[in-house]
């Protein structure tokens, strides 16, 4: 049997409508709360994996430059699992590029690790399997599990004894003509990464147990609203999920603050927009950007309104997209 040793995959980031924030204390990178996201077509990670007998260590080239050691370490952990599953012993050269700011709170780790999982599986000769790719990605970065699927995807909370935990599809991209308008408020990297920020929240925030207790009910409302395509029911639950996550982080000691002045201005602008009759709801990840969930038909108008907010540098209009997939293999 001839085995392809090289493959290229693409993946999109996803934005959580029901947020994941915090891990279970039993290892295996298990999320403490269920989450639900939409995979976004407007932004893309492209990753080439080549297992190569002539190299002694895995190498990661990120956006055309050698990657920092902590990023390379996470990539090696995923590649090690693929080597275990496939029996390949070669080290790999990984080249990855994002067409949006890396590590800025635009969910680059989600698209990065799902593209890596899919490319590495194919390069190692493993059969394409979205569920297995999702679980592999999740073991390195939880949110990445959801980008293995297109459209709307969910991931349940981990329970003791779980080792494998893939995300699942809720509905395909064409299920709902929704748009997410990203209001970019900073181009540089974020200060506190999500892994670190959520661990600090879990360790020190008195609100963390309340977050873990209340998240499943919000998740259930969000899943039902997605299935019913009901923006009026979805929006308030989406805003509450994001702001409750940030409230837990703000109550950590010392506080983890992802907001900047522009973030707060954008929150106010979304509320003002709604009171004028333009329906959009905000969500915020581990960074200062504000994302507005709205109807596809309203996306341009929402983007125009967000561009007028002081401190908003530009907007990106995204719509539900496809899951991670191979585009080239040797
Ligand atoms: C705020 O998936 O980046 O985007 O599992 O430690 O890699 P690790 O964290 P990560 O956290 C994402 C947090 C979030 C919310 C979400 O995507 O659900």
């Amino acid at each position: 049997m001839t085995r392809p040793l090289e493959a290229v995959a693409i993946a999109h980031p996803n934005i959580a409508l029901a947020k994941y924030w915090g891990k279970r204390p039993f290892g295996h990178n298990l999320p403490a709360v269920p989450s639900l996201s939409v995979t976004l077509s407007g932004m893309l990670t492209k990753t080439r994996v080549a297992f190569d007998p002539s190299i002694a260590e895995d190498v990661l080239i990120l956006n055309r430059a050698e990657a920092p050691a902590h990023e390379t370490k996470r990539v090696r952990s995923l590649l090690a699992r693929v080597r275990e599953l496939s029996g390949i012993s070669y080290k790999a050269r990984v080249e990855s590029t994002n067409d949006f700011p890396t590590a800025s709170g635009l969910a680059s780790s989600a698209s990065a690790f799902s593209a890596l999982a899919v490319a590495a599986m194919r390069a190692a000769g493993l059969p394409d399997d979205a569920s297995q790719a999702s679980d592999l990605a999740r073991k390195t970065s939880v949110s990445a599990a959801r980008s293995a699927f297109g459209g709307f995807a969910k991931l349940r909370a981990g329970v003791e004894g779980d080792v494998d935990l893939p995300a699942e599809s809720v509905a395909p991209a064409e299920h709902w003509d929704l748009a997410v308008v990203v209001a970019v408020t900073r181009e540089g990297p974020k200060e506190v990464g999500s892994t670190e920020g959520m661990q600090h929240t879990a360790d020190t925030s008195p609100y963390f147990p309340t977050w873990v207790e209340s998240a499943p009910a919000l998740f259930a409302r969000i899943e039902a609203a997605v299935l019913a395509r009901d923006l009026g029911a979805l929006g308030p639950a989406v805003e509450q999920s994001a702001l409750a996550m940030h409230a837990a982080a703000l109550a950590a000691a010392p506080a983890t603050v992802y907001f900047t002045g522009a973030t707060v201005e954008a929150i106010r602008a979304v509320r003002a927009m709604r009171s004028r009759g333009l329906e959009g709801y905000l969500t915020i990840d581990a960074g200062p950007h504000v994302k507005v969930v709205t109807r596809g038909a309203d996306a341009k108008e929402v983007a125009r309104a967000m561009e007028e907010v002081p401190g908003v540098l530009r907007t990106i209009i995204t719509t539900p997209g496809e899951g991670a997939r191979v585009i080239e293999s040797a």
Side-chain angles (χ1 to χ4, degrees):
M1 193 179 99
T2 57
R3 280 177 124 173
L5 291 174
E6 186 169 340
V8 182
I10 53 172
H12 302 296
N14 65 76
I15 299 285
L17 302 172
K19 298 296 182 200
Y20 144 64
W21 194 250
K23 299 175 198 289
R24 292 291 197 209
F26 345 106
H28 304 290
N29 210 33
L30 299 168
V33 296
S35 59
L36 188 150
S37 64
V38 53
T39 298
L40 302 173
S41 67
M43 298 183 271
L44 186 77
T45 295
K46 185 171 171 184
T47 301
R48 175 184 299 272
V49 175
F51 288 100
D52 181 347
S54 73
I55 56 175
E57 237 348 307
D58 294 320
V59 184
L60 170 64
I61 309 291
L62 189 56
N63 294 322
R64 295 169 195 87
E66 187 137 358
H70 70 277
E71 292 290 349
T72 308
K73 197 172 153 214
R74 296 180 94 189
V75 163
R76 282 185 185 144
S77 73
L78 195 155
L79 292 169
R81 289 196 178 90
V82 172
R83 277 190 283 265
E84 229 169 77
L85 287 166
S86 65
I88 278 191
S89 57
Y90 304 154
K91 302 294 188 207
R93 182 181 164 85
V94 176
E95 288 166 54
S96 190
T97 51
N98 290 326
D99 69 355
F100 56 92
T102 300
S104 61
L106 287 177
S108 57
S109 72
S111 50
F113 290 109
S114 62
L116 177 67
V118 167
M121 281 173 64
R122 175 70 77 85
L126 292 168
D128 292 347
D129 178 340
S131 184
Q132 185 163 45
S134 172
D135 178 58
L136 270 172
R138 196 270 311 153
K139 287 181 164 104
T140 300
S141 182
V142 168
S143 58
R146 301 182 311 238
S147 278
F149 297 94
F152 301 83
K154 66 178 175 180
L155 180 64
R156 70 167 168 81
V159 292
E160 198 160 8
D162 277 338
V163 176
D164 298 335
L165 176 58
E168 295 162 60
S169 172
V170 171
E174 54 282 6
H175 168 70
W176 196 3
D177 176 25
L178 215 57
V180 178
V181 177
V182 181
V184 177
T185 58
R186 188 170 65 202
E187 302 288 4
K190 64 188 167 193
E191 288 126 29
V192 182
S194 25
T195 308
E196 199 190 324
M198 70 176 73
Q199 194 54 51
H200 180 60
T201 305
D203 290 344
T204 68
S205 174
Y207 297 171
F208 184 71
T210 311
W211 157 251
V212 171
E213 232 171 80
S214 54
L218 281 172
F219 167 85
R221 277 169 62 193
I222 288 167
E223 183 176 26
V226 165
L227 290 170
R229 298 188 199 92
D230 183 344
L231 185 60
L234 179 73
V238 165
E239 291 198 342
Q240 202 183 347
S241 174
L243 294 174
M245 173 199 124
H246 283 277
L250 282 166
T256 300
V257 186
Y258 289 108
F259 294 5
T260 62
T263 314
V264 179
E265 290 293 342
I267 293 173
R268 293 167 63 85
V270 172
R271 293 184 162 188
M273 207 175 72
R274 270 209 304 274
S275 64
R276 292 197 307 270
L278 183 56
E279 201 177 0
Y281 299 90
L282 64 96
T283 185
I284 305 166
D285 290 298
H289 317 292
V290 172
K291 293 121 186 183
V292 186
V293 182
T294 189
R295 288 189 181 82
D298 291 336
K300 282 197 178 133
E301 206 182 332
V302 167
R304 271 197 297 275
M306 296 313 289
E307 276 161 15
E308 276 167 23
V309 177
V312 170
L313 305 175
R314 62 193 173 96
T315 57
I316 308 168
I317 296 180
T318 64
T319 51
E322 297 306 307
R325 58 212 179 272
V326 172
I327 55 163
E328 222 181 288
S329 89

